[in-house]
């Protein structure tokens, strides 16, 4: 068990890096997912088709394939994902600015993949608002934007918070994949590094890595359960 | 789709004209965007040449049959792993769900027929058992599938157990998915109206019989869409076999790329294959859901309203795939 204490810095560093990519990917996916959701409920058919196509493609494709596209396809196209070297952000999230592009590639893949699920969660929230609400709003003469702003969105926000949380939890778990795509030093890559390269015993390392992920996923899941139960009581 | 008609008024002639004009404009814009953002970069780097695409789409190409032979090996391997994983996780998941429901009733039992210390011991024991299963479920649900597969493939040999990589993959997938399926089934059983359980108790069934004869079949029925969605997740997750060098389709793709160096083309073909299979599976899930929602219109069956928990775990199940 000494490895947990002796190499605590490795575990902490891995946790910190995984946490960073999760925060960045969550923000990116929420923004992109919201855009796609708007496309999917827009009144213009081609936009709707675009949104639907996006969701169909990315929901039915394994994240692994998306990662492969990002990690091996983008370099072939001559891109280093340099547009993600955002001036102020890369001071906080130092990996964004490094010369090795794998962190940025992994981030792109995670955002693209998760956005499809975020879109579905948001849409399920809009669909959960009973049709009578929107009809009533139109009946008293509200415009489309007023309808969304004052009637539909405030209610759908409540309905989609739990599905959104599930999506984020799934994303945290999916982020374990980045260690296998060239991102050095995240939690899953640390597991590989410590056991195969540095020859530490397997079980303690596995326990340490697992704790790193459980710290992020279990409390979030418990929080969601709480919110859900509270909403179930309120709905009665 | 139904929401759209609610959010907007039924369009009049002017609105319809406007929509049509907008549609054409936006359609053109999308095409132009696709040309500049997808076609041009691809063309510039020579990614659209037949030299790179040929082995995949041109039957006349010398490598065509060899490439597709390998790909079909990959497809078969992927499907084998997915089938084994789903069957074993269904079996284990059902067991775990029944176990959890049983332990829940056991915890409520007071063991009044025994001497006081014995009954306290039994109550403590059953509480402990239930806590242990609960913790196990939370842990395995909270771990990434990548890591369970990785841990199985790396950990089992340390204990002197070596086997085919296929079984590492299947075991890793089963650990995660059986827990998820157990949760799906459990929420299905707990969502049933209490009358079902009470009626079963009234005709003298034991708790175990109640679960197996009355609750479980109904839970399966209600949760069928969620279970099919989980199948999609398993199928997507088999692609993780590449980290333990199991010869599934992505690994084969990597070999092809090693020989022909056409990554974009190979991954596009693999992605299309995955999308085709998974899309039809999700359509099947939707179809089943509609069938169930229409349901038996005779008595007050619970099928009409799957519980809220169920919908959430379904959403989660759909999302947690890699």
């Amino acid at each position: 068990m000494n490895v947990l204490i002796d190499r605590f810095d490795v575990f902490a560093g891995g946790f910190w890096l995984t946490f960073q990519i999760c925060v960045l990917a969550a923000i990116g996916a929420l923004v992109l997912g919201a855009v796609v959701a708007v496309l999917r409920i827009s009144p213009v058919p081609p936009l709707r088709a675009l949104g639907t196509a996006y969701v169909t493609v990315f929901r039915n494709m394994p994240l692994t394939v998306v990662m492969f596209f990002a990690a091996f396809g983008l370099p072939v196209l001559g891109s280093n994902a340099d547009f993600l070297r955002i001036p102020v952000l890369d001071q906080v999230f130092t990996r964004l600015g490094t010369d090795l592009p794998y962190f940025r590639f992994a981030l792109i893949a995670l955002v693209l993949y998760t956005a499809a699920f975020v879109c579905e969660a948001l849409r399920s929230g809009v669909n959960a608002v009973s049709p009578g609400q929107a009809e009533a709003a139109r009946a008293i003469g509200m415009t489309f934007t007023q309808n969304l702003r004052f009637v539909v969105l405030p209610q759908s926000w409540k309905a989609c918070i739990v599905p959104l949380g599930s999506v984020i939890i799934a994303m945290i778990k999916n982020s374990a994949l980045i260690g296998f795509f060239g991102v050095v030093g995240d939690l899953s890559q640390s597991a590989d590094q410590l056991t195969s390269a540095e020859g530490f015993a397997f079980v303690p390392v596995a326990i340490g890595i697992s704790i790193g992920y459980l710290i992020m996923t279990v409390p979030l899941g418990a929080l969601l359960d709480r919110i859900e139960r509270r909403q179930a009581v309120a709905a009665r | 789709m139904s929401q759209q008609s609610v959010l907007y008024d039924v369009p009049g002639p002017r609105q319809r004209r406007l929509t049509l004009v907008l549609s054409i404009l936006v359609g053109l814009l999308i095409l132009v965007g696709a040309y500049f953002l997808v076609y041009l970069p691809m063309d510039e780097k020579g990614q659209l040449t037949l030299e790179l695409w040929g082995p995949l789409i041109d039957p006349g190409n010398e490598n065509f049959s060899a490439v597709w032979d390998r790909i079909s090996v990959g497809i078969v391997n992927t499907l084998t792993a997915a089938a084994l994983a789903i069957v074993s996780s269904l079996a284990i998941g059902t067991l775990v769900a029944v176990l959890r429901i049983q332990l829940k009733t056991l915890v409520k039992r007071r063991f009044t027929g025994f001497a006081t210390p014995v009954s306290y011991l039994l109550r403590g024991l059953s509480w402990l058992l239930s806590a242990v299963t609960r913790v196990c479920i939370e842990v395995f649900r909270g771990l990434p599938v990548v890591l369970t597969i990785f841990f199985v493939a790396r950990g089992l040999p340390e204990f002197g157990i070596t086997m085919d990589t296929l079984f590492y993959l299947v075991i890793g997938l089963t650990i995660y998915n059986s827990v998820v399926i157990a949760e799906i089934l459990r929420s299905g059983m707990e969502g049933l109206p209490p009358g079902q359980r009470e009626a079963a108790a009234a005709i003298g069934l034991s708790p175990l019989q109640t679960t197996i004869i009355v609750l479980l079949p109904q839970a399966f029925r209600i949760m069928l869409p969620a279970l099919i969605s989980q199948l999609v997740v398993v199928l997507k997750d088999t692609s993780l076999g590449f980290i333990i060098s199991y010869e599934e389709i992505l690994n084969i793709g990597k070999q092809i790329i090693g020989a022909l160096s056409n990554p974009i083309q190979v991954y596009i073909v693999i992605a299309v294959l995955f999308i085709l299979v998974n899309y039809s599976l999700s359509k099947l899930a939707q179809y089943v859901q509609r069938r169930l929602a229409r349901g038996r219109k005779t008595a007050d069956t619970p099928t009409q309203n799957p519980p809220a928990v169920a919908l959430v775990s379904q959403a989660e199940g759909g999302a947690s795939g890699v």
Side-chain angles (χ1 to χ4, degrees):
Chain A
M1 288 312 257
N2 272 342
V3 61
L4 284 181
I5 300 153
D6 294 346
R7 305 306 305 275
F8 182 74
D9 55 327
V10 177
F11 288 105
F15 179 81
W16 174 229
L17 190 66
T18 296
F19 184 72
Q20 279 184 13
I21 201 165
C22 288
V23 170
L24 286 173
I27 295 170
L30 284 176
V31 172
L32 185 61
V35 171
V36 179
V38 168
L39 289 185
R40 281 205 79 171
I41 59 170
S42 80
V44 187
L47 287 181
R48 226 155 46 212
L50 188 66
T52 315
Y54 181 93
V55 171
T56 312
V57 165
F58 281 99
R59 239 166 68 113
N60 291 313
M61 187 150 90
L63 174 61
T64 329
V65 176
V66 188
M67 284 268 182
F68 269 117
F69 263 120
F72 297 104
L74 283 180
V76 170
L77 290 178
S79 167
N80 235 351
D82 284 327
F83 66 92
L84 280 175
R85 296 186 172 187
I86 305 159
V88 184
L89 266 184
D90 66 1
Q91 299 299 314
V92 186
F93 304 98
T94 41
R95 284 301 179 98
L96 276 181
T98 50
D99 285 333
L100 276 178
Y102 293 110
F103 184 82
R104 297 193 291 273
F105 288 158
L107 182 60
I108 291 176
L110 261 185
V111 166
L112 285 179
Y113 181 78
T114 313
F117 293 96
V118 169
C119 164
E120 286 306 271
L122 291 176
R123 218 170 57 98
S124 79
V126 172
N127 281 337
V129 179
S130 73
Q133 298 280 332
E135 276 170 1
R138 281 199 287 114
I140 59 170
M142 283 186 166
T143 62
F144 176 64
T145 32
Q146 282 176 329
N147 191 346
L148 276 184
R149 165 86 181 74
F150 296 110
V151 179
V152 176
L153 286 187
Q155 297 183 63
S156 68
W157 170 239
K158 252 189 214 159
C160 70
I161 204 164
V162 173
L164 264 185
S166 308
V167 169
I168 296 298
I169 291 180
M171 192 205 70
I172 293 174
K173 291 192 275 182
N174 285 339
S175 77
L177 201 54
I178 66 171
F180 299 93
F181 283 90
V183 177
V184 177
D186 88 311
L187 269 176
S188 57
Q189 200 269 338
S190 306
D192 200 18
Q193 171 72 19
L194 287 176
T195 52
S196 59
E198 299 187 24
F200 283 104
F202 176 76
V203 175
V205 174
I207 291 175
I209 299 296
S210 309
I211 290 174
Y213 280 102
L214 294 176
I215 286 178
M216 286 185 272
T217 52
V218 169
L220 206 52
L223 180 72
L224 284 184
D225 271 356
R226 247 185 96 99
I227 295 175
E228 191 183 356
R229 231 171 292 143
R230 213 181 259 181
Q231 282 179 352
V233 171
R236 232 173 259 157
Chain B
M1 281 297 130
S2 62
Q3 195 67 31
Q4 264 122 37
S5 52
V6 175
L7 282 180
Y8 320 118
D9 272 314
V10 179
R14 195 169 139 251
Q15 187 65 40
R16 269 206 297 273
R17 264 203 309 280
L18 193 67
T19 308
L20 189 69
V21 171
L22 267 180
S23 297
I24 293 170
L25 272 181
V26 168
L28 280 179
L29 214 66
I30 291 175
L31 284 182
V32 169
Y35 177 77
F36 277 106
L37 292 177
V38 180
Y39 180 81
L40 266 193
M42 295 266 282
D43 198 36
E44 223 167 77
K45 300 284 170 190
Q47 290 300 319
L48 295 171
T49 53
L50 207 59
E51 195 188 330
L52 292 174
W53 280 100
L56 291 164
I57 53 168
D58 174 22
N61 193 294
E62 50 190 329
N63 291 325
F64 182 83
S65 59
V67 163
W68 277 97
D69 273 351
R70 293 301 289 159
I71 291 185
S72 50
V73 169
I75 294 176
V76 168
N77 282 345
T78 298
L79 290 181
T80 319
L84 285 176
I86 195 73
V87 169
S88 52
S89 22
L90 261 182
I92 297 177
T94 312
L95 280 181
V96 174
V98 171
L99 183 73
R100 271 206 74 184
I101 293 276
Q102 281 324 101
L103 284 175
K104 241 183 173 170
T105 47
L106 204 62
V107 168
K108 279 187 205 135
R109 238 177 102 174
R110 319 294 285 187
F111 297 103
T112 39
F114 302 92
T116 320
V118 178
S119 82
Y120 270 110
L121 190 72
L122 283 175
R123 274 168 72 179
L125 202 64
S126 53
W127 185 85
L128 188 74
L129 266 178
S130 136
V132 166
T133 47
R134 180 92 205 273
V135 167
C136 280
I137 284 180
E138 287 300 327
V139 165
F140 288 128
R141 227 163 59 125
L143 274 185
V145 209
V146 201
L147 283 189
T148 48
I149 296 172
F150 179 72
F151 287 166
V152 166
R154 196 55 77 70
L156 285 187
E158 292 230 344
F159 297 105
I161 310 168
T162 45
M163 48 180 130
D164 204 46
T165 42
L166 166 68
F167 294 107
Y168 292 142
L169 180 61
V170 170
I171 292 173
L173 286 176
T174 304
I175 290 177
Y176 175 75
N177 287 293
S178 57
V179 169
V180 173
I181 286 179
E183 285 296 285
I184 292 176
L185 286 177
R186 188 184 59 86
S187 67
M189 285 195 258
E190 285 180 351
L192 290 172
Q196 297 282 338
R197 182 188 295 270
E198 286 158 14
I203 59 170
L205 297 182
S206 72
L208 186 63
Q209 283 173 321
T210 310
T211 314
I212 292 173
I213 302 176
V214 179
L215 301 181
L216 199 56
Q218 297 190 62
F220 262 115
R221 208 181 122 83
I222 299 174
M223 291 301 170
L224 199 55
L227 290 175
I228 297 177
S229 309
Q230 198 57 33
L231 192 63
V232 173
V233 174
V234 171
L235 201 60
K236 279 160 76 177
D237 284 351
T238 49
S239 67
L240 295 173
F242 91 98
I243 61 169
I244 57 170
S245 36
Y246 173 63
E247 281 215 319
E248 45 69 57
I249 189 162
L250 268 170
N251 221 333
I252 301 267
K254 235 158 84 181
Q255 295 165 6
I256 296 175
I257 291 163
L260 300 171
S261 56
N262 51 351
I264 295 190
Q265 291 75 9
V266 170
Y267 289 132
I268 287 180
V269 167
I270 293 176
V272 167
L273 287 174
F274 265 111
I275 291 168
L276 281 181
V277 175
N278 286 334
Y279 185 68
S280 19
L281 275 178
S282 8
K283 278 286 152 212
L284 177 69
Q286 277 173 20
Y287 169 76
V288 170
Q289 183 141 38
R290 266 204 308 277
R291 279 289 302 254
L292 288 182
R294 211 164 52 200
R296 289 175 289 186
K297 291 224 171 86
T298 46
D300 185 16
T301 38
T303 15
Q304 270 80 3
N305 302 314
V309 199
L311 293 174
V312 171
S313 60
Q314 188 181 348
E316 192 187 17
S320 58
V322 165

